[in-house]
Amino acid sequence: MLCHYHGAVDTPETSVLGDPRDDDLALGLLLATAHFNSRERLGERLRPFGIEVRHFGVLSALHRHGPTSQRHLSELLDLDKSAMVRIMDELERSGLAARNRAAHDRRAYAIELTADGRERLRSAQAEAATVGREVFGWLRPADRERLVGLLEELVARTEPSSPG
Amino acid sequence: MLCHYHGAVDTPETSVLGDPRDDDLALGLLLATAHFNSRERLGERLRPFGIEVRHFGVLSALHRHGPTSQRHLSELLDLDKSAMVRIMDELERSGLAARNRAAHDRRAYAIELTADGRERLRSAQAEAATVGREVFGWLRPADRERLVGLLEELVARTEPSSPG
DNA sequence: TATTGTTATACTCTATAACTATA
DNA sequence: TATAGTTATAGAGTATAACAATA
């Protein structure tokens, strides 16, 4: 769709939008497309591992933090706790992670990667690194530095709390 | 969420992600956040006009093209035709556009802006231009040129048909 | 037969509120 | 009373297939 779309973005007829060099909405769409495409490319390549993009961050966080409560995990990743329930259901069903009861607090879980989860995460991380190189590897260091700098400035200026 | 999120992005704990200058997933999240924030800022400012972002593109296209079939409109904006039905229902309900039957083809509509729609679109476009300046106006021409160039290259390289 | 538009359905992603069991 | 987790529900998005009326 026009300007800042959340779904698939094929090139619409040019008459609807201008050049992103002059047209702010066209620049917004360009951002949306860059985001959408890169996410899609990652998703396609993780899927053969039985891992969706939404799982990948959770698995990585588990790998870094070790046994963690579901609550802490959702805070780490800034995910809603009900979304976390669904994701953990999926991870448990596919045998990547397990919900064990925490010893010190019987309300909480101690969520852990399974052995299989650890192994599949390792493969998925290698694949993600490859995708990362394919998607961003062409950026020369100076270009990447500039891109990151501009995007960070943009994000800072569009933060909800930010001054218009 | 981690890497390429489709929803709200607050800064997660830093331990989950690295620096977008080195970490591809962090750069993906930065893209997602830039997109999400700028879309949110536009949405907030259009809402007082009773216009959602998804309506804005349709109204603009109607303004440019004059009476148009629903089918053509969905092609123009690369929207699914069933999504188009819902959006048109909303636009009709809020009195911004009307579905008249096409004279030459009684299956099709000749969709038009109402007088009220034309007027509210004009105000909304002025507001959108203001938001555009707030969001992107700080970019010096050379910066914007670079940003657009890099994003276009990124999009070209991540197009579904594109070579890895 | 093909096309315009509608409906029904389904899936992803988010967010809220109400609930349970513990603390 | 507060917290950990679950459930139900809602909403914004998308996509598909089946269908009516018309061409």
Side-chain angles (χ1 to χ4, degrees):
Chain A
M1 217 279 266
L2 202 64
C3 49
H4 312 259
Y5 182 51
H6 271 235
V9 184
D10 277 346
T11 321
E13 285 188 28
T14 52
S15 56
V16 180
L17 278 180
D19 185 327
R21 284 160 190 82
D22 327 308
D23 183 336
D24 291 329
L25 292 173
L27 180 47
L29 178 61
L30 191 56
L31 271 177
T33 310
H35 161 223
F36 181 81
N37 283 5
S38 56
R39 189 187 208 274
E40 280 298 293
R41 297 295 81 74
L42 179 61
E44 283 169 6
R45 300 278 287 276
L46 291 183
R47 206 150 297 135
F49 297 88
I51 294 178
E52 299 291 321
V53 176
R54 65 177 173 277
H55 302 142
F56 190 62
V58 175
L59 294 173
S60 301
L62 279 174
H63 183 248
R64 291 205 194 192
H65 287 80
T68 312
S69 77
Q70 198 165 304
R71 177 66 166 184
H72 184 219
L73 213 43
S74 68
E75 279 163 5
L76 274 175
L77 297 160
D78 194 45
L79 276 172
D80 189 86
K81 62 180 177 168
S82 68
M84 199 63 234
V85 171
R86 181 173 53 84
I87 293 176
M88 270 310 305
D89 287 349
E90 293 168 349
L91 291 178
E92 225 173 14
R93 202 177 322 122
S94 52
L96 292 159
R99 293 194 247 222
N100 308 311
R101 279 290 162 194
H104 58 289
D105 183 344
R106 279 156 50 202
R107 295 173 304 178
Y109 290 134
I111 293 173
E112 282 182 276
L113 288 175
T114 61
D116 187 39
R118 233 183 315 275
E119 191 172 324
R120 282 158 70 191
L121 174 61
R122 192 160 40 233
S123 313
Q125 281 177 330
E127 183 70 7
T130 301
V131 176
R133 279 190 297 275
E134 291 170 3
V135 169
F136 297 123
W138 58 276
L139 282 165
R140 288 171 309 174
D143 286 337
R144 181 163 184 149
E145 177 71 34
R146 259 195 293 271
L147 178 61
V148 168
L150 292 171
L151 289 176
E152 283 181 338
E153 175 80 18
L154 177 57
V155 165
R157 286 173 178 268
T158 52
E159 224 43 57
S161 52
S162 160
Chain B
M1 217 278 265
L2 202 63
C3 49
H4 314 257
Y5 181 50
H6 270 233
V9 184
D10 277 347
T11 320
E13 284 187 30
T14 51
S15 56
V16 181
L17 278 180
D19 185 326
R21 283 161 193 81
D22 326 310
D23 182 337
D24 292 328
L25 292 173
L27 179 48
L29 179 61
L30 192 55
L31 271 177
T33 311
H35 162 222
F36 181 81
N37 283 5
S38 56
R39 189 186 207 274
E40 279 297 295
R41 298 294 82 72
L42 179 61
E44 284 170 5
R45 302 277 286 277
L46 291 183
R47 207 152 294 135
F49 296 88
I51 294 178
E52 299 292 322
V53 176
R54 66 177 173 276
H55 302 142
F56 191 62
V58 175
L59 295 172
S60 301
L62 280 174
H63 184 248
R64 290 203 197 193
H65 287 81
T68 312
S69 77
Q70 198 165 304
R71 177 66 166 187
H72 183 218
L73 213 44
S74 69
E75 279 164 6
L76 273 175
L77 297 161
D78 193 46
L79 276 172
D80 189 87
K81 61 180 178 169
S82 67
M84 197 64 232
V85 170
R86 182 173 51 85
I87 294 176
M88 269 309 305
D89 287 348
E90 293 168 348
L91 291 178
E92 226 173 12
R93 201 178 321 120
S94 52
L96 291 160
R99 290 195 249 222
N100 307 311
R101 278 290 162 193
H104 58 290
D105 184 343
R106 278 155 52 203
R107 295 171 305 181
Y109 290 135
I111 293 172
E112 283 183 275
L113 288 175
T114 62
D116 188 37
R118 234 182 314 276
E119 191 172 324
R120 281 158 72 190
L121 174 60
R122 192 159 40 233
S123 313
Q125 281 178 329
E127 184 70 7
T130 301
V131 175
R133 279 190 296 276
E134 292 170 3
V135 168
F136 297 122
W138 58 276
L139 281 165
R140 288 170 311 172
D143 286 337
R144 181 162 184 149
E145 177 72 32
R146 258 194 294 271
L147 178 61
V148 168
L150 292 171
L151 289 176
E152 284 180 339
E153 176 80 16
L154 177 58
V155 165
R157 285 171 178 270
T158 52
E159 221 47 54
S161 53
S162 163

